[in-house]
Amino acid sequence: MTRGTVILKNGKVFIALGYSNSDSYPSGEIGQMLVKALSNSSDEETVQIIRELIGGLQKDEFSKDCMESLREIGEAFYNKKAATKVGLDDVYGYYYDYSYVYDIKTRKLQIFHFGQLEYSFKKEDFPFLRLVVENDELLYTLSYDTKNKCFKGIDAEVKKVKRMKKAGKSPQYILEIAKSLSERIHYVVDEVYSSDCWPNAVQKGVTFYPSRKRLKFIFKENYGKWNVYIQLPWVRQGLIHNCTSRKAAMNKLIAYLDGNWESFQSGMDLYELYEDCQQKLMNFYNACDQISITKDEFNESVGQIEKEFRGKLIPLEELDYSGWTKAFGPDRAKKEIANWIFMTHRHIFDCIQKA
């Protein structure tokens, strides 16, 4: 769920607001409609398209409350910097994922992401807006403030992408820069920590490129020391230990990822194969609740799923798993599937017989 607001104003006067509770990325319908609006040669038609966009968004009491807040506190509603200046940042500390603000007076569109100004376009800059809309995910990836070495040396180029008009280049030239930079990014760490089921623990996700596959790493504090665990399909395994702070643990994880990203990326095929096999077994077990099946038929079906898993495992046995812990690899995956079947399917079949 990616929430957003579209705001139409004339100078300091706020005219209309539309709220969307999902799909508010620049690449979504909102961004596409704004490209259509700004590319129109008529200013009147531009405003009319934005009005229609706002009118087509969610209409309920919450939307009305948003409009009331906007008129009450003005720019501080969507701009964290403005909120801080008037002392409202502590009160209005949460900003919707995206806010799109078009000013009729200046003919300028601003895009805010969680209260931070991401882009600013005058109406005649609509080709750059189209670039953002059509390549949102690529540009968003490049905007990460990550300390790993894959990002070192490209900061200046990223700033050119983020400040496209100041770079003085065409949209196509900027896109070529962005694509070139993306090829040098091997992984991206989530911007924020998320909650975890363990006490005194939080987690971060890591997306590997170009596969776009993800792993979770858990940061847990024990007696003043921070440890990092990797979430495997069958267990959480310790990876980094005895760090003096969570920041130090993060730095060590970045250093570890820098040296092992290729191994992690190749190993994700095994990770997904295991989860796929486990899901097929669960789907079979769930279907058995509604059919009559003998024990031999039950065991034969389970065995066929396991056989298929082992067959698909063969080409993965020669991949590089050196960056993973010793608790991960093809041999361990075969044992874990066999153990999971042994512990689970007898109980499942007993339940079927009693139904």
Side-chain angles (χ1 to χ4, degrees):
M1 183 177 77
T2 305
R3 306 183 301 173
T5 54
V6 181
I7 298 169
L8 182 64
K9 69 173 187 171
N10 192 345
K12 295 183 178 181
V13 179
F14 293 98
I15 300 171
L17 176 148
Y19 169 79
S20 173
N21 63 4
S22 64
D23 192 28
S24 295
Y25 296 105
S27 57
E29 184 179 358
I30 290 176
Q32 294 167 18
M33 288 296 292
L34 289 171
V35 169
K36 179 181 178 182
L38 268 66
S39 62
N40 198 291
S41 59
S42 166
D43 287 346
E44 291 77 12
E45 191 67 25
T46 293
V47 174
Q48 181 59 32
I49 293 172
I50 295 175
R51 283 184 179 274
E52 291 174 359
L53 170 61
I54 291 174
L57 296 177
Q58 187 173 324
K59 296 179 181 179
D60 54 21
E61 288 300 319
F62 185 74
S63 296
K64 292 179 181 179
D65 291 343
C66 287
M67 188 64 196
E68 289 178 5
S69 296
L70 175 64
R71 285 176 170 161
E72 178 184 352
I73 65 175
E75 190 178 356
F77 176 78
Y78 56 83
N79 187 340
K80 188 172 183 179
K81 186 178 291 188
T84 302
K85 285 182 179 179
V86 295
L88 290 176
D89 193 37
D90 290 337
V91 180
Y92 297 90
Y94 185 84
Y95 302 88
Y96 301 116
D97 301 54
Y98 287 96
S99 289
Y100 303 86
V101 185
Y102 185 74
D103 190 338
I104 299 173
K105 184 176 181 180
T106 60
R107 301 169 75 245
K108 181 186 291 185
L109 172 70
Q110 293 179 306
I111 302 177
F112 292 84
H113 183 228
F114 286 110
Q116 302 285 348
L117 180 63
E118 287 284 295
Y119 299 105
S120 181
F121 306 100
K122 289 188 176 180
K123 182 175 170 166
E124 57 267 26
D125 295 331
F126 75 87
F128 292 98
L129 172 61
R130 178 181 285 123
L131 172 69
V132 170
V133 170
E134 293 178 352
N135 301 277
D136 173 44
E137 184 176 357
L138 171 61
L139 297 176
Y140 182 71
T141 299
L142 290 172
S143 72
Y144 272 83
D145 181 20
T146 306
K147 293 182 179 179
N148 71 73
K149 68 180 180 183
C150 299
F151 285 77
K152 292 177 182 177
I154 68 173
D155 289 349
E157 296 298 327
V158 171
K159 287 177 182 178
K160 288 182 182 179
V161 175
K162 297 288 288 180
R163 303 169 184 171
M164 288 177 289
K165 195 169 187 300
K166 291 183 179 180
K169 302 293 183 179
S170 69
Q172 186 58 38
Y173 177 82
I174 298 298
L175 180 58
E176 289 173 3
I177 290 177
K179 287 181 177 178
S180 174
L181 295 177
S182 70
E183 294 173 357
R184 294 157 60 184
I185 295 176
H186 306 310
Y187 67 90
V188 170
V189 183
D190 285 353
E191 289 181 287
V192 296
Y193 290 93
S194 58
S195 59
D196 187 78
C197 59
W198 279 357
N200 303 322
V202 291
Q203 62 177 252
K204 279 210 176 201
V206 176
T207 303
F208 295 91
Y209 286 82
S211 70
R212 300 183 186 279
K213 295 176 181 178
R214 285 173 58 81
L215 280 176
K216 289 182 180 179
F217 295 87
I218 297 88
F219 294 70
K220 179 174 173 58
E221 182 186 16
N222 286 316
Y223 303 106
K225 297 292 184 179
W226 284 88
N227 304 311
V228 181
Y229 301 80
I230 182 174
Q231 180 65 65
L232 301 179
W234 46 80
V235 70
R236 289 180 171 183
Q237 187 72 22
L239 190 69
I240 295 168
H241 303 282
N242 299 321
C243 298
T244 55
S245 66
R246 189 170 71 180
K247 182 178 180 180
M250 184 71 240
N251 289 339
K252 282 194 175 183
L253 176 60
I254 290 294
Y256 193 86
L257 291 171
D258 281 345
N260 295 282
W261 64 269
E262 289 178 295
S263 175
F264 278 123
Q265 181 150 265
S266 66
M268 286 302 296
D269 288 339
L270 173 59
Y271 195 113
E272 292 184 345
L273 178 62
Y274 181 93
E275 290 192 323
D276 179 65
C277 178
Q278 194 176 56
Q279 187 60 54
K280 285 180 179 177
L281 287 166
M282 286 304 303
N283 291 342
F284 171 69
Y285 293 157
N286 291 333
C288 285
D289 290 338
Q290 302 171 11
I291 62 175
S292 175
I293 188 170
T294 68
K295 191 168 186 177
D296 287 342
E297 291 171 334
F298 181 87
N299 289 335
E300 182 180 354
S301 296
V302 171
Q304 185 60 38
I305 294 173
E306 184 180 13
K307 182 180 179 180
E308 180 184 351
F309 166 74
R310 287 174 175 263
K312 291 182 178 180
L313 198 61
I314 293 173
L316 304 182
E317 291 178 345
E318 302 303 318
L319 297 179
D320 175 23
Y321 299 97
S322 59
W324 298 75
T325 68
K326 293 182 179 179
F328 185 82
D331 290 340
R332 183 62 180 268
K334 285 185 280 190
K335 291 179 182 178
E336 291 296 335
I337 279 292
N339 290 339
W340 194 84
I341 291 172
F342 178 78
M343 292 186 295
T344 306
H345 88 288
R346 286 186 176 180
H347 169 71
I348 295 291
F349 185 76
D350 288 344
C351 291
I352 294 170
Q353 295 303 296
K354 293 176 182 177

